[in-house]
Amino acid sequence: MAAEPPSRLTYRTTGSTCLHPLSELLGIPLDQVNFVVCQLFALFAAFWFRLYLKPTKTSPDVRHAFATIFGVYFVIFCFGWYSIHLFVLVLMGYGIMVTASISNIHRYTFFVAMGYLTICHISRIYIFHYGILSTDFSGPLMIVTQKITILAFQVHDGLSKRPEDLSAEQHRLAVKVKPSLLEYLSYLLNFMSVIVGPCNNFKDYVAFIEGSHTHMKLLEVNWKQRGFHSLPDPSPTGAVIHKLCITLGSLLLFLTLTKTFPVTCLVDDWFVHKANFLTRLCYLYIVMQASKPKYYFAWTLADAVNNAAGFGFSGVDENGNFCWDLLSNLNIWKIETATSFKMYVENWNIQTAAWLKSVCYERAPWYPTVLTFILSALWHGVYPGYYFTFLTGILVTLAARAVRNNCRQYFLSSKALKVTYDVVTWAVTQLAVSYTAAPFVMLAVEPTISLYKSMYFFLHIISLLIILFLPIKPQAHSQRPPQTLNSVNKKKTD
């Protein structure tokens, strides 16, 4: 694992130090305090933005400028001089946008953005040895990389391809006019998503700024049949309160459960050498469950911030309720009740899955699932643990697909068998995810090998045996792969 940064870098690697007394009082690292304070300030700014800079009374340019200025301030406050990396990448992306040919704009943007992100990952960890204890500016850089690349592909789709060559989703999101500098900066650096995301589509963001975001979704419903004489005005307040309650619950779990069962428990002498196999398996599950609340907290709070600004309306469900989950990055209920590896992954980091689908899976000329896992690992960083997780994930995905395709039909003949199948697959899925994701939070090679040796590499062996001896039926290409969102339309090569 990367070494702890020298004490002389304590403030050099952190943004503003004005909250240092609060950090010491709470016993929480300063960069985490800065992050939470920025997100809470962003929440109040989002409400103000929606109420006082309404698109009906304020020009799009003013809304773009306000969102950008606040976003830039938040980045500088949290990351100090590290924010230069973010601004350099944004400016390089716009330079490619205005100078590169339409036929190559997506390729140049993708390789420059991913290359710069990878260089920053390597230099932060292995050259300057800042490790995971210093201010991690790579988070915003990862989000900006997603936005820069997906926008480049959408501009390429809109200006270079015929409509009949695009899937329905690609056609809907295709950008037919290159964005202005202000639009580009606002999309990438707005205060609602610059710190922790999520990634979103350029056309959706511009529709939100211009005031047509909810209107377009509402037009899909026949309101006269529902007794309305005009379009309703959905309020995000209820959705924001609900998500803030989840955020608070996640914070409490983080301060209790996560602190009680840190990931370092998985390399304790008792766990590795003394506990029996079943105890290790159960303890692994508990520790990995304890690692989730910080993600639930950050992603749900980010979703609430966007909703508070009026962004994230996804339409009306079958019961007539307004939905504000367009930008949701996870579905906690479906994650915790998932009965397949695929279902679990589909509901975790949803917007990153959508990005991977758009820039890789749909366009890969061969081995789309494998290439998608590789891109996901590269995007996350260069810690060896990431690659253990994603390589294991490939094996588990193929094995789970083979088991489901060959065995599931035998358990559908009665309700009792179906319930038994669901209970068993739930338990297997949760344990398989814990086993697969453990290196992701352990990061380094030594603890990962130590953990897997103590577990006898059992899931790797079982997965390989399943892949070798159970036929994997050909998948319709419209089926969604791991790490993608919703069903995949006909894949196109670029």
Side-chain angles (χ1 to χ4, degrees), residues 57-113:
K57 299 180 180 179
T58 309
S59 72
D61 285 349
V62 172
R63 284 168 60 87
H64 277 305
F66 180 91
T68 304
I69 292 170
F70 264 65
V72 169
Y73 174 76
F74 287 168
V75 171
I76 295 174
F77 181 87
C78 282
F79 304 104
W81 68 270
Y82 280 160
S83 56
I84 292 174
H85 290 292
L86 198 67
F87 304 143
V88 166
L89 180 57
V90 169
L91 293 177
M92 286 196 300
Y94 191 71
I96 296 171
M97 178 69 67
V98 297
T99 59
S101 65
I102 293 300
S103 59
N104 290 312
I105 191 172
H106 56 310
R107 295 188 181 94
Y108 295 158
T109 301
F110 181 84
F111 286 112
V112 168

Side-chain angles (χ1 to χ4, degrees), residues 109-417:
T109 301
F110 181 84
F111 286 112
V112 168
M114 283 300 302
Y116 191 82
L117 175 64
T118 302
I119 290 171
C120 287
H121 279 316
I122 293 172
S123 63
R124 184 179 66 87
I125 297 167
Y126 295 112
I127 297 178
F128 296 107
H129 304 294
Y130 292 160
I132 60 173
L133 301 178
S134 64
T135 301
D136 189 357
F137 67 93
S138 62
L141 201 64
M142 291 160 69
I143 298 298
V144 165
T145 297
Q146 288 185 343
K147 289 185 176 183
I148 286 176
T149 52
I150 200 170
L151 175 56
F153 275 97
Q154 290 167 353
V155 169
H156 171 71
D157 289 343
L159 297 179
S160 179
K161 289 189 173 183
R162 298 174 301 175
E164 56 267 28
D165 293 332
L166 302 173
S167 67
E169 184 72 358
Q170 288 172 342
H171 183 262
R172 183 184 74 83
L173 297 174
V175 177
K176 300 184 182 301
V177 178
K178 288 185 178 181
S180 67
L181 177 60
L182 180 59
E183 290 175 329
Y184 194 82
L185 294 177
S186 176
Y187 172 60
L188 298 177
L189 301 175
N190 68 82
F191 72 92
M192 290 94 71
S193 61
V194 69
I195 299 297
V196 71
C199 179
N200 51 73
N201 294 299
F202 180 76
K203 287 185 75 171
D204 289 334
Y205 179 74
V206 170
F208 153 69
I209 290 292
E210 295 177 351
S212 58
H213 170 58
T214 57
H215 185 76
M216 291 188 300
K217 303 289 184 182
L218 291 172
L219 287 176
E220 299 173 3
V221 179
N222 189 333
W223 292 101
K224 289 187 178 180
Q225 290 183 355
R226 297 173 180 263
F228 288 83
H229 298 292
S230 59
L231 290 179
D233 184 18
S235 171
T237 304
V240 172
I241 293 173
H242 173 71
K243 290 171 184 178
L244 289 179
C245 290
I246 294 175
T247 298
L248 180 59
S250 301
L251 179 61
L252 293 176
L253 286 174
F254 174 76
L255 295 175
T256 54
L257 186 64
T258 306
K259 301 295 184 182
T260 305
F261 297 98
V263 70
T264 51
C265 292
L266 300 180
V267 293
D268 285 347
D269 181 69
W270 170 83
F271 179 89
V272 175
H273 299 293
K274 298 177 182 179
N276 61 51
F277 178 76
L278 288 178
T279 301
R280 290 172 190 160
L281 199 58
C282 293
Y283 207 70
L284 172 64
Y285 173 72
I286 294 171
V287 170
M288 293 308 297
Q289 286 293 103
S291 70
K292 293 179 187 177
K294 65 179 180 181
Y295 298 102
Y296 291 170
F297 171 83
W299 288 341
T300 306
L301 180 56
D303 195 12
V305 170
N306 280 275
N307 290 169
F311 189 26
F313 182 68
S314 58
V316 182
D317 64 18
E318 61 274 10
N319 298 318
N321 300 315
F322 297 128
C323 298
W324 289 85
D325 58 2
L326 180 69
L327 305 179
S328 294
N329 223 2
L330 75 173
N331 186 316
I332 296 176
W333 174 254
K334 290 185 178 180
I335 287 171
E336 300 299 343
T337 60
T339 57
S340 71
F341 198 80
K342 175 178 178 288
M343 184 187 302
Y344 192 105
V345 171
E346 284 179 343
N347 292 284
W348 177 271
N349 208 352
I350 295 171
Q351 302 308 325
T352 292
W355 171 71
L356 290 167
K357 168 196 168 186
S358 179
V359 304
C360 182
Y361 184 84
E362 289 186 325
R363 305 172 194 269
W366 55 80
Y367 304 117
T369 299
V370 174
L371 290 176
T372 297
F373 272 115
I374 292 173
L375 174 59
S376 184
L378 285 171
W379 175 79
H380 278 93
V382 292
Y383 283 114
Y386 297 159
Y387 298 87
F388 276 100
T389 286
F390 288 109
L391 290 174
T392 304
I394 294 172
L395 290 177
V396 174
T397 298
L398 296 176
R401 182 182 297 170
V403 170
R404 182 178 178 85
N405 288 345
N406 286 277
C407 303
R408 185 173 183 268
Q409 63 267 26
Y410 299 113
F411 293 87
L412 301 179
S413 57
S414 71
K415 185 175 181 181
L417 282 175

